[in-house]
Amino acid sequence: MDVLTLTIDGKKIRCETGKTILEAALDAGIYIPNLCYHPLLEPYGACRMCIVEVEGMRGLPTACTTRATQGMVVRTDSPQIHQVRHLTAELLISDHFADCLVCSSNQRCELQRVTAHLGIDRTRLKRMVRQARIDDSNPFFVRDPSKCILCSRCVRMCQEVRGVGAIDMAFRGYATTVSAAGNVPIAESVCESCGACVDACPTGALIARSEALPPTSEVVTTCPYCGCGCTIVLGIRRGELVRVKGDAINPVSRGLLCVKGRFGFDFLKSRDRLTAPLIKRNGEFQKATWDEALRLVARRFAEIKKAHGPDSLGGLSSAKCTNEENYLFQKFVRTVFGTNNVDHCARLCHASTIAGLARAFGSGAMTNSINEIEYADVILVIGSNTTEAHPNIALRIKAAVMKHGAKLIVADPRRIHLVRFAEIHLRQKPGTDVALINAMMNVIIAEKLLDEEFIRDRTEGFEEARPVIEQYTPEVAEKITGVPAQDIRRAARLYATADRGSIIYSMGITQHTTGTDNVLALANLAMITGNIGRESTGVNPLRGQNNVQGACDMGALPNLVPGYRSVTDDAVRAKLEKAWNVALPADVGLTVIEMMHAAEESKLKGLYIMGENPALSDPNLNRTRQALEHVEFLVVQDIFLTETAQYAHVVLPTATFAEKDGTYANTERRVQRVRKALDPPGEARQDWEIICDIATRMGYPMRYADPGAIMDEIATVTPIYAGISYHRLERDGIQWPCPDPSHPGTSYLHKDKFTRGKGKFHPTPYREAAELPDDAYPYILTTGRLLEHFHTGTLTRRSEGLERIRPSSTIEINPEDAAAEGISDGDMVYVKSRRGEVLVKAVVTDRSPQGTMFMPFHFKEAAANILTNDALDPIAKIPEFKVCAVQIRKT
Ligand code: SF4
C-alpha cells in the first residue's frame, strides 16, 4: 500500500495513494461539509458542498472528485469558500420541506448537519417547496420527493452498487426528480426492496416505515438467512427490534443487505412462536412443563435404544443453528444415542461439494474469499442464481464487471438476472453440466491453453482424466447440452486465458445424481488452467443457509466428525473418545434421506430433529411425510410448529438467532459471532441448554457455562478451529483453517500445496439424469429460490412485507410450451410428476428455456418437493432436486 502526505488546514495527513481529498480529510477526522458523497459510490461532485482551495490549483475544486497528491496543501475553509458554500446550501434548502421536528430523519439528517455547520438560519429563507406525490407503494419504505435534494445517492446506489437501476433522475430543470422508469410507483418497478437507497439518502426523502422511533441500544450480530453471512446491527427499543441496518465495516457486507436481511424479521414477534413444550396426547398437542417433556424424551429414547439398539435412533441437526449447537447435537447423537445417524440439510444442498472437493483438493469448502471475487478478471458462474440466492455475493460479481471490467460467463438454463452482465450465456439443459465442463476442457487441451507447469508440479491423475475429456468435443457436447459449440469454445478460451479465473457455483451443480461428478469436473477445469491456489481464483461453492458451512465443520454428518475427519479413522476416534470420555461408533451412519427410508421400513424408530423441516424440504414429500408418520417417537425442537413439528410426539420451543449467543461460519469459512439482543418468548429455551439437559437425563452429563465454553471445547477437538475463541471473533471473524491462537486465519486455500498434497484429477464421463422427459411426462422441472423467501418459508413468510411482494408460488413456462399446452399467463395449472401433483399459477416467460419449467420450493400450498425426485447421487447421497419429469395441464 503506497502512502502519501498532504497538508489539510495546516495539519500533515498521511493517506493511501488513490484517495480523494475528502476521503483523506474524513479519515483524519477533519469534517468537510458534503452531501452527494458516499464511500461506496464513485465521486460525483454534484452538491458542491465540499469545495476547497488547493495551492497551485485554480478555482474551488470539489474535494470528493480531486485525488490527494504528495505534498498537496489544502484549505477547507476561507471567506470565499464559506460564501460560495453558504449560497449553495441556501439554494438547496430553499425548496426543502422544513418539518425537521416531525421528520424521522431528525438528528441523523446530513442536510441538517451541513446547515448547522454553516450557521444558516433556515427560518429567514424564502421557500418554494415543491408539491410532490409521496410514493408509499413499497411495503418497507416511503419516498417523499419534497425532502429530496437531488444528490443522486439513491440512484447511484441502485445503479452502481446494486446493478439494479430501478430508479433514475427524471425530467429537467425545476421538475427534476428521482423516479422509477415510466414514472410508475416504485413497487411496479424492478426494485428489489434492499433498502440501500434508504440508507444512502442523506435527508428524510427515503424513510423505512419500521424506523419511526430510534433504538435505545444496538447489538451487532450475523444475518440468519443465506450463507453470505452479512453482519447486521439490531436496533432495540423496549425489548423489541425496531431497526436493522448493515455494518459498514464488515468485510462481507460493507453495510449492504438484501431485502430479507434488512426487513425480513417480523417472525421474531410472530404470535405463532412456540412458547411452551408440547406433548401430543390422543392426536392433540397439549402444553407441558419442561420437566414433563424432557423426562418423556429421555425415557422414550432410552427405551428405544435398549430395545432396538443405538442405530434405531437418529438425529437431524440444523444449518440454521449455531456452531456450538451443531457441535453439541452431533456429540449428543454419537455419545448418548451411540450412533453416527446424524445429518442435516447440507445433504440436500452441498453434500456433493464436500465429497467432490475433498477428493480433488482435500478440503470441501469455498477455496477463496468473497471480497476476492471483485478482483477476478474472468468469472464463471454455473448453476447459481446468485442475485436471488446469495444477493451480497452477486454484488461482488457485478462490481467485478461494472467497476473492474471483468468478463462474466453465466452457465444456467434460465435467463437469470446475472445474464444482463454476462459476456457469454451458456444455456445448458438441466443435468448436462458434466458434458459442458468436459467440452470446455476439451477446447483448452486442443488449443493448448492448459497450464502444463501447474498440472505437472501441483497435480496428479491428469493422464487418466484426459481420454475422457477428449471424448467431449464441443460438437458432441452441443448434442447433449444444447449449447452451440462455438459458445463452448468462446467460454473455454475466455476462462483459460484469464490471469485470475474464478468459478462460482451453487445448487444448480450439486443437486443432481451426478452432483459429485459435476463438482469434480469443475475442480478439473480449475486445475487444468492453474486457476486455484491464488487470490481471486478457485472453485467457490456458495453454501445455502446461514450456517450450513458451520454445521458441516462441526461434524453434523454421518461419515465425518468435527473438522472433516472420518468416523472410520481409528486414531481420530480414539482422540475424541478420550476427550468425550465414551466409546464411539465406528460405522458410517445414515444420511437424511436414508433415515427417512429406514423410518419407512421401521428400522429407525426414534428421531430427534433440531430446526429442520424435512416435511417441506425433502424430495418426494409424500414419501417423506409417510416416513415421518411412521417414526415411533419423534421429537422436534423449533421456534414454530412447522410442517415437520406437526408429526412430532414432543415439540420443544427454542430461541431464534436474535435471542442467543454463538457463532456461524459463512460460505467463505468465516466464523462470526451471533449475539443475543432479545429474550426468547414465554418458556422457550436455548437449543444448547435443551441438548445438555436431555443428555444429562440420559446418563451422559453435559454442562457448559455458556456458548463461549462450548467453542473452547470445539477448538480443542477440531484442528481447523484450534485457534478460534470468542475474544478473537469480536470484530471481523476468522476464516478457518486457523490452527493456533496466533494464526490470522486463511483467506484462500491450497496456496503452495493442496490440503491433500497434490490436486487430483478425476475422470468424469457424462451420465444422464435419473429421470428424463418422455411422452407421459414431457417437460423437465427444475426448482430453486426466490430473493424474498428463504428455505421452507417458515421465517420469511411471516413477514408482512415479503408476503406482499411474493405471496404465492408460480411456475415459469416458456411461451412455446405454454402455447402447446393452451396455457396463458396467470392461468392456474396442475403440475404432475410420478410422485405427486400440485396446483400453481403459470407465469409465461422466456426466462425458462423451451422444455424446462421452474418452480420455487418455499411454498407449502404448492410444494415443489411433492414433485421432485429422491434418486440419489451414489457418492454424496444428495437427491436430484434439479431435474425431474413433469406433465402440465390447465385447470
Ligand atoms: Fe442476509 Fe444473505 Fe441478504 Fe446478507 S445477502 S442480508 S446474509 S440474506
Side-chain angles (χ1 to χ4, degrees):
M1 180 176 70
D2 292 336
V3 173
L4 56 82
T5 306
L6 73 161
T7 305
I8 302 180
D9 293 341
K11 192 174 163 191
K12 285 237 182 305
I13 306 288
R14 281 163 60 79
C15 79
E16 279 171 44
T17 304
K19 289 219 167 188
T20 64
I21 297 172
L22 181 63
E23 287 166 337
L26 293 177
D27 287 352
I30 299 170
Y31 176 64
I32 304 177
N34 65 86
L35 287 168
C36 68
Y37 165 78
H38 189 285
L40 292 177
L41 298 173
E42 292 297 314
Y44 196 55
C47 73
R48 297 203 56 80
M49 278 298 115
C50 66
I51 49 171
V52 290
E53 288 174 355
V54 179
E55 265 185 30
M57 211 179 264
R58 284 171 42 180
L60 298 173
T62 46
C64 69
T65 56
T66 309
R67 301 262 170 230
T69 57
Q70 177 61 33
M72 187 180 246
V73 178
V74 179
R75 288 185 68 189
T76 68
D77 208 357
S78 70
Q80 192 196 2
I81 292 172
H82 186 76
Q83 189 186 18
V84 176
R85 213 179 252 160
H86 209 275
L87 186 63
T88 313
E90 285 194 352
L91 283 172
L92 264 181
I93 57 176
S94 66
D95 67 353
H96 183 82
F97 200 55
D99 64 343
C100 297
L101 289 180
V102 291
C103 177
S104 300
S105 257
N106 192 19
Q107 302 302 323
R108 42 192 174 109
C109 172
E110 292 175 43
L111 183 61
Q112 228 176 18
R113 182 179 183 190
V114 167
T115 52
H117 179 85
L118 297 176
I120 293 174
D121 178 3
R122 303 169 59 138
T123 53
R124 71 172 185 79
L125 294 175
K126 191 160 174 245
R127 291 175 176 276
M128 195 168 67
V129 177
R130 46 184 94 211
Q131 293 304 311
R133 191 184 58 189
I134 290 178
D135 184 347
D136 64 353
S137 62
N138 185 283
F140 301 114
F141 57 84
V142 176
R143 192 180 123 65
D144 179 355
S146 71
K147 294 178 183 168
C148 176
I149 56 169
L150 302 178
C151 65
S152 176
R153 272 163 51 165
C154 57
V155 168
R156 289 179 290 138
M157 186 61 79
C158 191
Q159 294 180 352
E160 276 176 32
V161 177
R162 308 295 310 198
V164 173
I167 47 176
D168 206 341
M169 305 304 289
F171 307 112
R172 295 276 174 113
Y174 189 69
T176 304
T177 187
V178 172
S179 167
N183 205 20
V184 297
I186 191 103
E188 292 172 30
S189 72
V190 293
C191 171
E192 294 178 352
S193 302
C194 65
C197 58
V198 177
D199 296 335
C201 179
T203 70
L206 279 156
I207 291 285
R209 290 173 188 272
S210 56
E211 296 170 8
L213 291 171
T216 50
S217 64
E218 289 188 329
V219 176
V220 180
T221 188
T222 305
C223 176
Y225 289 119
C226 83
C228 291
C230 302
T231 298
I232 53 176
V233 184
L234 304 182
I236 307 296
R237 189 184 181 96
R238 294 202 177 132
E240 280 203 18
L241 181 68
V242 293
R243 186 179 75 194
V244 180
K245 61 177 188 174
D247 179 9
I249 54 174
N250 176 246
V252 178
S253 69
R254 302 166 299 162
L256 300 165
L257 303 174
C258 75
V259 61
K260 297 187 292 294
R262 179 75 164 82
F263 298 116
F265 297 105
D266 289 357
F267 72 87
L268 290 170
K269 55 178 192 312
S270 164
R271 276 195 295 243
D272 304 342
R273 284 288 301 276
L274 292 170
T275 56
L278 303 174
I279 295 177
K280 199 179 266 171
R281 294 187 175 105
N282 301 321
E284 298 283 326
F285 282 119
Q286 293 177 357
K287 282 192 180 173
T289 65
W290 273 104
D291 184 53
E292 250 182 311
L294 295 185
R295 212 160 0 107
L296 176 63
V297 170
R299 178 173 63 76
R300 290 292 291 122
F301 280 147
E303 284 169 0
I304 291 171
K305 183 177 173 182
K306 192 167 175 213
H308 306 285
D311 290 336
S312 63
L313 294 170
L316 298 185
S317 200
S318 175
K320 286 183 280 298
C321 288
T322 62
N323 286 322
E324 292 74 4
E325 290 156 352
N326 276 286
Y327 171 78
L328 282 196
F329 191 90
Q330 60 81 37
K331 180 178 172 182
F332 171 88
V333 172
R334 294 190 156 109
T335 57
V336 181
F337 282 178
T339 176
N340 282 313
N341 291 344
V342 58
D343 205 4
H344 70 288
C345 68
R347 186 68 45 205
L348 309 179
C349 60
H350 274 282
S352 30
T353 289
I354 298 171
L357 293 188
R359 278 169 170 74
F361 303 152
S363 170
M366 183 163 166
T367 59
N368 289 62
S369 294
I370 291 171
N371 63 9
E372 292 174 25
I373 293 169
E374 199 167 326
Y375 304 101
D377 51 16
V378 173
I379 303 172
L380 167 62
V381 175
I382 181 164
S384 161
N385 184 4
T386 326
T387 52
E388 301 213 47
H390 297 89
N392 234 320
I393 292 177
L395 297 183
R396 302 305 184 113
I397 298 170
K398 291 181 193 176
V401 175
M402 295 192 300
K403 259 173 95 175
H404 306 295
K407 300 279 186 266
L408 176 64
I409 305 163
V410 172
D412 199 293
R414 296 172 68 222
R415 187 173 292 118
I416 55 174
H417 176 75
L418 270 188
V419 170
R420 280 175 47 190
F421 302 84
E423 187 89 358
I424 304 172
H425 180 198
L426 307 172
R427 267 190 128 170
Q428 76 276 34
K429 287 182 195 151
T432 63
D433 304 271
V434 162
L436 177 67
I437 302 160
N438 281 347
M440 285 179 69
M441 288 189 279
N442 182 294
V443 175
I444 289 165
I445 292 173
E447 300 189 6
K448 301 198 176 358
L449 299 173
L450 62 183
D451 186 336
E452 286 173 5
E453 194 182 319
F454 187 91
I455 295 169
R456 186 188 63 230
D457 296 345
R458 302 271 325 258
T459 71
E460 60 189 9
F462 177 62
E463 289 310 322
E464 288 81 63
R466 185 179 189 132
V468 172
I469 295 168
E470 284 176 345
Q471 293 168 27
Y472 295 89
T473 63
E475 285 69 26
V476 168
E478 179 174 340
K479 289 200 181 89
I480 300 170
T481 63
V483 179
Q486 73 266 24
D487 286 352
I488 298 174
R489 287 198 167 86
R490 280 173 59 218
R493 287 171 193 145
L494 196 56
Y495 174 74
T497 53
D499 271 347
R500 296 176 306 282
S502 172
I503 296 172
I504 292 173
Y505 73 87
S506 194
M507 289 179 280
I509 280 292
T510 56
Q511 290 180 327
H512 293 275
T513 47
T514 58
T516 306
D517 283 350
N518 289 351
V519 173
L520 288 169
L522 287 176
N524 288 349
L525 179 62
M527 289 191 289
I528 202 173
T529 52
N531 274 313
I532 180 102
R534 291 180 288 120
E535 271 186 18
S536 303
T537 63
V539 181
N540 298 295
L542 305 184
R543 309 300 299 263
Q545 299 197 30
N546 55 329
N547 197 35
V548 71
Q549 181 68 56
C552 294
D553 300 347
M554 294 300 103
L557 297 164
N559 56 336
L560 301 170
V561 294
Y564 301 96
R565 294 161 304 154
S566 174
V567 295
T568 60
D569 185 324
D570 294 343
V572 166
R573 255 191 357 271
K575 271 192 195 156
L576 279 178
E577 284 174 347
K578 197 165 166 220
W580 292 347
N581 196 25
V582 69
L584 292 173
D587 296 331
V588 171
L590 300 176
T591 65
V592 171
I593 304 296
E594 287 172 338
M595 278 190 242
M596 293 302 154
H597 293 174
E600 207 176 29
E601 295 165 16
S602 299
K603 288 181 186 156
L604 190 92
K605 296 186 178 289
L607 185 58
Y608 180 14
I609 300 180
M610 173 176 77
E612 291 271 296
N613 194 8
L616 206 51
S617 63
D618 280 16
N620 194 358
L621 278 185
N622 288 332
R623 188 174 177 191
T624 302
R625 290 170 181 176
Q626 273 170 21
L628 287 170
E629 252 169 23
H630 228 79
V631 177
E632 195 177 300
F633 186 64
L634 175 64
V635 177
V636 173
Q637 188 167 303
D638 215 313
I639 59 173
F640 291 108
L641 194 67
T642 60
E643 289 72 20
T644 302
Q646 287 165 27
Y647 291 90
H649 299 92
V650 179
V651 178
L652 305 173
T654 65
T656 65
F657 85 103
E659 298 152 1
K660 62 171 72 163
D661 283 302
T663 56
Y664 296 151
N666 76 349
T667 189
E668 58 169 1
R669 300 168 276 105
R670 185 181 298 275
V671 182
Q672 304 187 105
R673 276 301 312 273
V674 175
R675 295 184 180 86
K676 184 172 183 280
L678 300 166
D679 289 326
E683 296 170 36
R685 292 177 69 190
Q686 304 287 327
D687 287 279
W688 71 269
E689 289 176 342
I690 304 170
I691 300 165
C692 288
D693 207 335
I694 300 173
T696 306
R697 285 166 189 259
M698 290 183 73
Y700 182 83
M702 272 196 194
R703 291 192 184 92
Y704 299 89
D706 50 38
I710 305 172
M711 178 51 82
D712 291 343
E713 181 176 312
I714 292 169
T716 63
V717 297
T718 314
I720 55 176
Y721 274 60
I724 296 179
S725 58
Y726 276 18
H727 81 271
R728 291 197 69 199
L729 297 177
E730 269 310 305
R731 202 33 275 169
D732 294 338
I734 295 175
Q735 287 172 278
W736 66 256
C738 177
D740 64 68
S742 61
H743 193 282
T746 310
S747 59
Y748 66 93
L749 304 176
H750 317 304
K751 186 165 177 246
D752 299 311
K753 192 174 163 221
F754 284 95
T755 308
R756 70 180 293 282
K758 290 207 162 188
K760 186 164 170 51
F761 281 91
H762 290 79
T764 53
Y766 165 68
R767 285 184 288 121
E768 288 182 339
E771 186 180 69
L772 292 176
D774 56 19
D775 288 347
Y777 296 90
Y779 300 104
I780 290 176
L781 176 76
T782 191
T783 61
R785 286 188 183 179
L786 299 176
L787 171 66
E788 295 82 3
H789 285 300
F790 182 68
H791 203 232
T792 54
T794 312
L795 310 183
T796 49
R797 296 203 66 201
R798 287 182 165 87
S799 156
E800 209 183 305
L802 295 175
E803 270 293 272
R804 227 174 94 188
I805 299 173
R806 287 284 191 169
S808 57
S809 188
T810 53
I811 184 164
E812 271 181 21
I813 307 175
N814 182 275
E816 308 243 1
D817 297 331
E821 299 290 341
I823 292 168
S824 304
D825 194 53
D827 282 349
M828 293 304 289
V829 293
Y830 285 109
V831 187
K832 187 176 177 190
S833 77
R834 290 185 174 83
R835 293 153 293 279
E837 185 175 67
V838 297
L839 179 64
V840 63
K841 192 198 234 178
V843 171
V844 177
T845 168
D846 64 1
R847 219 169 21 240
S848 280
Q850 196 179 354
T852 297
M853 299 178 179
F854 169 82
M855 270 183 83
F857 58 76
H858 313 291
F859 300 90
K860 62 182 175 200
E861 307 88 336
N865 284 326
I866 284 181
L867 308 168
T868 50
N869 193 355
D870 54 356
L872 302 179
D873 174 287
I875 299 169
K877 313 267 179 78
I878 190 169
E880 189 142 66
F881 285 103
K882 291 294 187 221
V883 186
C884 77
V886 293
Q887 54 178 246
I888 191 161
R889 71 177 200 282
K890 200 171 150 177
T891 54

